């Protein structure tokens, strides 16, 4: 079972802790499958190995140290306590450094290679209340626990590089192929980190409220969580095939999924048996990660996508599902037709052989020919 503790971040209520929690417990299946696809991308391993020593981790640290405010017991003490709280809940042993940087845009990120660094913007801190901020910090700690920071750093580096080599056609194409795949993975990784934030905040309404603020600003008195979630349902099901294609086009340049999509995904997970099992203390442990089956993760991801395709209301997904189902139905009818034709051919061949034998043209033994003539001839011969 999990341990309970009174959080020190000002929440004033008991929180559930998850000792030894493996990131596998909250990682979204789409996150795992997208990362597998990314690692299989031609040239990714070569680029990753080549850039690992070039990634500006030291430069990033110096930049934040020189031009941001480091969170500590003496600076942004309430954020420091929330960071300790999140690391305690998710059982992240090494607490990452955290900085606040001046930027009116609400944002947060976790970057770095060996030592992740969490960065919050002033726009985010001013937008969210204490409970919502706790969820965001838990979100970033989830990125750190999952090892996402290194790929996020690579994405930042390659995005900047793509701008610098845009004048080289082939070079830009090669980099943008990897950047596009990294963005696809990173959007999926956000769904995993949203789940980690929920495990820290432990209140689905607070998590969804924070996402609603990111979409509509600090006008909570003008917004409604239920109505916001209805937008998510409408976004998934509404429109026709053109809207489905536009959804894909609109999300391609983004690093994060749309807020309503994240809210819908989080609502579904918060109501699932998987979430309840984690809260009850039944979850994968870090010490079991070495024994975890890659094929098992692939199967889980495949099962997730199969279920999503089956239940999706998106017009394009429904069309693909209907075509696949129609093809399967047609294939079954063709198999039945072929089996029936073969059976008819065998029956026809058997009937022809019997007629030949009855006419005296059979070449088999009397026993094979059947009928009473065999035994009668035997008696006459004796």
């Amino acid at each position: 079972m999990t341990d309970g503790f009174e959080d020190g971040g000002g929440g004033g209520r008991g929180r559930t802790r998850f000792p030894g929690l493996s990131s596998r417990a909250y990682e979204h299946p789409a996150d795992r499958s997208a990362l597998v696809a990314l690692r299989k991308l031609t040239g990714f391993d070569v680029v990753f190995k080549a850039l690992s020593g070039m990634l500006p981790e030291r430069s990033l640290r110096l930049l934040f140290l020189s031009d941001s405010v480091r969170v500590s017991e003496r600076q942004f003490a309430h954020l420091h306590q929330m960071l300790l709280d999140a690391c305690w809940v998710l059982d992240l042993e090494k607490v990452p450094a955290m900085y606040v940087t001046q930027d009116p845009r609400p944002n947060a990120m976790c970057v770095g290679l060996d030592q992740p660094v969490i960065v919050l913007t002033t726009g985010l801190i001013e937008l969210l209340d204490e409970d919502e901020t706790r969820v965001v910090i838990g979100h970033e700690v989830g990125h750190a626990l999952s090892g996402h920071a290194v790929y996020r750093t690579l994405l930042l580096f390659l995005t900047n590089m793509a701008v610098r080599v845009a004048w080289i056609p082939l070079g830009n194409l090669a980099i943008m192929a990897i950047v596009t795949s990294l963005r696809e993975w990173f959007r999926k990784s956000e769904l995993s980190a949203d789940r980690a934030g929920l495990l820290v905040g432990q209140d689905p309404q607070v998590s969804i409220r924070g996402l609603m603020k990111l979409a509509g600003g600090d006008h909570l008195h003008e917004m409604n969580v239920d109505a916001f979630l209805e937008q998510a349902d409408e976004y998934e099901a509404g429109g026709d095939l053109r809207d489905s294609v536009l959804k894909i086009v609109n999300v391609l340049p983004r690093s994060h999924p749309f807020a309503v999509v994240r809210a819908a995904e989080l609502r579904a997970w918060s109501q699932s048996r998987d979430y309840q099992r984690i809260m009850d203390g039944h979850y994968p442990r870090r010490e079991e990660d070495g024994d975890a089956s890659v094929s098992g993760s692939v199967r889980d991801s495949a099962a997730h996508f199969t279920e999503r395709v089956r239940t999706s209301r998106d017009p394009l997904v429904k069309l693909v599902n209907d075509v696949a189902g129609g093809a399967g139905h047609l294939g079954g009818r063709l198999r039945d037709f072929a089996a029936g034709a073969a059976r008819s051919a065998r029956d026809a061949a058997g009937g022809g052989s019997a007629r030949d034998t009855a006419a005296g043209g059979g070449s088999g033994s009397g026993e094979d020919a059947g009928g009473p003539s065999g035994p009668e001839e035997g008696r006459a011969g004796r």
Side-chain angles (χ1 to χ4, degrees):
M1 291 297 293
T2 53
D3 300 330
F5 76 98
E6 193 74 15
D7 70 282
R13 64 180 178 84
R15 293 183 186 277
T16 303
R17 183 177 179 243
F18 309 102
L21 178 74
S22 168
S23 60
R24 292 181 292 118
Y26 60 82
E27 284 176 344
H28 195 284
D31 174 10
R32 291 195 294 267
S33 60
L35 190 55
V36 169
L38 174 65
R39 288 168 175 164
K40 288 183 178 180
L41 182 66
T42 302
F44 176 77
D45 286 341
V46 175
V47 171
F48 183 76
K49 290 176 183 177
L51 293 181
S52 292
M54 298 169 54
L55 291 177
E57 182 175 33
R58 187 181 296 270
S59 174
L60 284 172
R61 290 183 179 281
L62 289 174
L63 178 63
F64 294 133
L65 191 62
S66 63
D67 205 32
S68 301
V69 176
R70 181 164 57 193
V71 173
S72 67
E73 294 178 352
R74 295 184 297 165
Q75 300 187 112
F76 290 102
H78 69 294
L79 296 180
H80 178 66
Q81 190 58 55
M82 288 184 195
L83 176 62
L84 296 179
D85 174 30
C87 292
W88 180 258
V89 171
L90 298 181
D91 197 20
L92 182 64
E93 295 179 0
K94 192 167 185 178
V95 179
M98 187 161 74
Y99 291 86
V100 173
T101 189
Q102 172 63 31
D103 190 336
R105 296 170 297 181
N107 195 17
M109 62 179 175
C110 180
V111 294
L113 298 178
D114 298 325
Q115 300 177 26
V117 175
I118 295 173
V119 183
L120 307 179
T121 66
T122 52
L124 183 80
I125 296 171
E126 292 164 4
L127 175 65
L128 304 181
D129 66 22
E130 187 173 280
D131 288 336
E132 295 156 2
T133 302
R134 185 192 309 280
V135 168
V136 170
I137 293 175
H139 173 111
E140 299 305 328
V141 170
H143 275 311
L145 182 59
S146 291
H148 291 163
V150 61
Y151 296 104
R152 173 63 165 161
T153 307
L154 181 63
L155 175 59
L156 289 172
F157 184 76
L158 287 177
T159 301
N160 292 332
M161 181 181 288
V163 174
R164 294 175 184 174
V165 301
W167 59 277
I168 307 176
L170 293 180
N172 188 50
L173 280 175
I175 291 175
M176 286 310 299
I178 295 177
V179 167
T180 301
S181 297
L182 273 168
R183 281 180 178 155
E184 173 64 17
W185 161 76
F186 193 75
R187 287 191 292 269
K188 302 300 188 288
S189 75
E190 287 298 299
L191 302 178
S192 296
D194 283 343
R195 293 177 173 188
L198 176 57
L199 291 177
V200 170
Q202 301 180 10
D203 187 340
Q205 289 294 310
V206 171
S207 293
I208 294 174
R209 193 175 70 215
L211 291 169
M212 189 169 62
K213 279 188 175 182
L214 290 176
D218 190 15
H219 305 283
L220 200 57
H221 62 288
E222 298 283 355
M223 296 185 286
N224 180 277
V225 170
D226 292 333
F228 186 65
L229 289 171
E230 288 172 9
Q231 287 182 226
D233 296 334
E234 183 179 343
Y235 176 79
E236 180 184 358
D240 54 21
L241 290 177
R242 291 169 298 179
D243 294 301
S244 298
V245 173
L246 288 173
K247 290 176 189 177
I248 298 172
V249 173
N250 287 342
V251 81
L252 282 178
R254 295 175 59 92
S255 62
H256 289 62
F258 293 116
V260 294
V261 174
R262 294 171 66 181
E265 288 280 352
L266 202 56
R267 173 187 58 180
W269 191 65
S270 69
Q271 296 171 350
S272 71
R273 187 168 177 268
D274 291 339
Y275 173 69
Q276 191 55 54
R277 282 182 58 80
I278 295 174
M279 295 303 298
D280 291 340
H282 306 292
Y283 52 81
R285 311 276 169 157
R286 243 166 279 164
E287 61 266 21
E288 302 166 352
D289 284 350
D291 301 326
S293 169
V294 175
S295 60
S297 296
V298 172
R299 281 195 303 271
D300 291 344
S301 298
H304 166 77
F305 280 115
T306 300
E307 180 63 17
R308 286 298 298 271
V309 168
R310 187 183 68 81
T311 59
S312 177
R313 292 176 293 164
D314 182 271
L316 181 59
V317 176
K318 286 176 66 177
L319 175 63
V320 172
N321 194 28
D322 291 344
V323 169
H329 179 62
L330 177 60
R333 292 181 63 182
L334 288 174
R335 284 194 300 272
D336 293 343
F337 175 78
R343 192 161 48 246
S344 298
R346 285 195 302 270
D347 292 344
S353 176
R355 285 192 298 273
D356 290 345
T357 302
S363 59
S365 65
E367 186 177 352
D368 289 338
S373 60
E376 290 293 329
E377 290 172 359
R379 283 193 294 269
R382 283 194 297 268

